[in-house]
PDB file of all heavy atoms in Angstrom:
ATOM      1  N   SER A 157      -5.747   8.197  -5.755  1.00 83.00           N
ATOM      2  CA  SER A 157      -5.968   7.367  -4.566  1.00 83.00           C
ATOM      3  C   SER A 157      -5.233   7.841  -3.363  1.00 83.00           C
ATOM      4  O   SER A 157      -5.704   7.682  -2.238  1.00 83.00           O
ATOM      5  CB  SER A 157      -5.581   5.901  -4.921  1.00 83.00           C
ATOM      6  OG  SER A 157      -4.189   5.801  -5.232  1.00 83.00           O
ATOM      7  N   THR A 158      -4.021   8.398  -3.560  1.00 84.00           N
ATOM      8  CA  THR A 158      -3.260   8.955  -2.411  1.00 84.00           C
ATOM      9  C   THR A 158      -4.006  10.143  -1.788  1.00 84.00           C
ATOM     10  O   THR A 158      -4.072  10.247  -0.586  1.00 84.00           O
ATOM     11  CB  THR A 158      -1.893   9.354  -2.916  1.00 84.00           C
ATOM     12  OG1 THR A 158      -1.219   8.274  -3.497  1.00 84.00           O
ATOM     13  CG2 THR A 158      -1.051   9.907  -1.730  1.00 84.00           C
ATOM     14  N   LEU A 159      -4.537  11.023  -2.637  1.00 85.00           N
ATOM     15  CA  LEU A 159      -5.272  12.184  -2.099  1.00 85.00           C
ATOM     16  C   LEU A 159      -6.545  11.724  -1.361  1.00 85.00           C
ATOM     17  O   LEU A 159      -6.937  12.274  -0.305  1.00 85.00           O
ATOM     18  CB  LEU A 159      -5.647  13.107  -3.225  1.00 85.00           C
ATOM     19  CG  LEU A 159      -4.458  13.803  -3.933  1.00 85.00           C
ATOM     20  CD1 LEU A 159      -4.928  14.697  -5.076  1.00 85.00           C
ATOM     21  CD2 LEU A 159      -3.683  14.676  -2.926  1.00 85.00           C
ATOM     22  N   LEU A 160      -7.232  10.678  -1.903  1.00 84.00           N
ATOM     23  CA  LEU A 160      -8.390  10.128  -1.210  1.00 84.00           C
ATOM     24  C   LEU A 160      -7.985   9.509   0.112  1.00 84.00           C
ATOM     25  O   LEU A 160      -8.703   9.688   1.149  1.00 84.00           O
ATOM     26  CB  LEU A 160      -9.055   9.096  -2.088  1.00 84.00           C
ATOM     27  CG  LEU A 160      -9.957   9.608  -3.234  1.00 84.00           C
ATOM     28  CD1 LEU A 160     -10.485   8.439  -4.055  1.00 84.00           C
ATOM     29  CD2 LEU A 160     -11.073  10.442  -2.741  1.00 84.00           C
ATOM     30  N   PHE A 161      -6.869   8.833   0.153  1.00 85.00           N
ATOM     31  CA  PHE A 161      -6.422   8.179   1.400  1.00 85.00           C
ATOM     32  C   PHE A 161      -6.131   9.209   2.464  1.00 85.00           C
ATOM     33  O   PHE A 161      -6.491   9.064   3.642  1.00 85.00           O
ATOM     34  CB  PHE A 161      -5.179   7.360   1.068  1.00 85.00           C
ATOM     35  CG  PHE A 161      -4.653   6.556   2.223  1.00 85.00           C
ATOM     36  CD1 PHE A 161      -5.325   5.351   2.619  1.00 85.00           C
ATOM     37  CD2 PHE A 161      -3.561   6.955   2.963  1.00 85.00           C
ATOM     38  CE1 PHE A 161      -4.830   4.586   3.686  1.00 85.00           C
ATOM     39  CE2 PHE A 161      -3.103   6.225   4.021  1.00 85.00           C
ATOM     40  CZ  PHE A 161      -3.742   5.041   4.374  1.00 85.00           C
ATOM     41  N   LEU A 162      -5.505  10.323   2.072  1.00 84.00           N
ATOM     42  CA  LEU A 162      -5.187  11.367   3.033  1.00 84.00           C
ATOM     43  C   LEU A 162      -6.398  12.155   3.468  1.00 84.00           C
ATOM     44  O   LEU A 162      -6.544  12.567   4.609  1.00 84.00           O
ATOM     45  CB  LEU A 162      -4.132  12.339   2.478  1.00 84.00           C
ATOM     46  CG  LEU A 162      -2.740  11.707   2.172  1.00 84.00           C
ATOM     47  CD1 LEU A 162      -1.864  12.719   1.527  1.00 84.00           C
ATOM     48  CD2 LEU A 162      -2.106  11.140   3.432  1.00 84.00           C
ATOM     49  N   SER A 163      -7.365  12.345   2.553  1.00 84.00           N
ATOM     50  CA  SER A 163      -8.579  13.098   2.907  1.00 84.00           C
ATOM     51  C   SER A 163      -9.484  12.276   3.841  1.00 84.00           C
ATOM     52  O   SER A 163     -10.185  12.881   4.657  1.00 84.00           O
ATOM     53  CB  SER A 163      -9.345  13.415   1.594  1.00 84.00           C
ATOM     54  OG  SER A 163      -9.785  12.249   0.938  1.00 84.00           O
ATOM     55  N   LEU A 164      -9.427  10.974   3.751  1.00 81.00           N
ATOM     56  CA  LEU A 164     -10.169  10.138   4.680  1.00 81.00           C
ATOM     57  C   LEU A 164      -9.431   9.854   5.972  1.00 81.00           C
ATOM     58  O   LEU A 164      -9.954   9.088   6.821  1.00 81.00           O
ATOM     59  CB  LEU A 164     -10.485   8.775   3.990  1.00 81.00           C
ATOM     60  CG  LEU A 164     -11.432   8.815   2.788  1.00 81.00           C
ATOM     61  CD1 LEU A 164     -11.549   7.442   2.164  1.00 81.00           C
ATOM     62  CD2 LEU A 164     -12.839   9.335   3.205  1.00 81.00           C
ATOM     63  N   GLU A 165      -8.268  10.532   6.175  1.00 81.00           N
ATOM     64  CA  GLU A 165      -7.467  10.359   7.330  1.00 81.00           C
ATOM     65  C   GLU A 165      -7.009   8.876   7.549  1.00 81.00           C
ATOM     66  O   GLU A 165      -6.991   8.368   8.654  1.00 81.00           O
ATOM     67  CB  GLU A 165      -8.160  10.888   8.629  1.00 81.00           C
ATOM     68  CG  GLU A 165      -8.434  12.372   8.580  1.00 81.00           C
ATOM     69  CD  GLU A 165      -9.090  12.866   9.807  1.00 81.00           C
ATOM     70  OE1 GLU A 165      -9.438  12.038  10.691  1.00 81.00           O
ATOM     71  OE2 GLU A 165      -9.232  14.093   9.986  1.00 81.00           O
TER      72      GLU A 165
END
Side-chain angles (χ1 to χ4, degrees):
S157 61
T158 303
L159 294 177
L160 283 176
F161 185 77
L162 296 177
S163 63
L164 294 175
E165 297 183 352

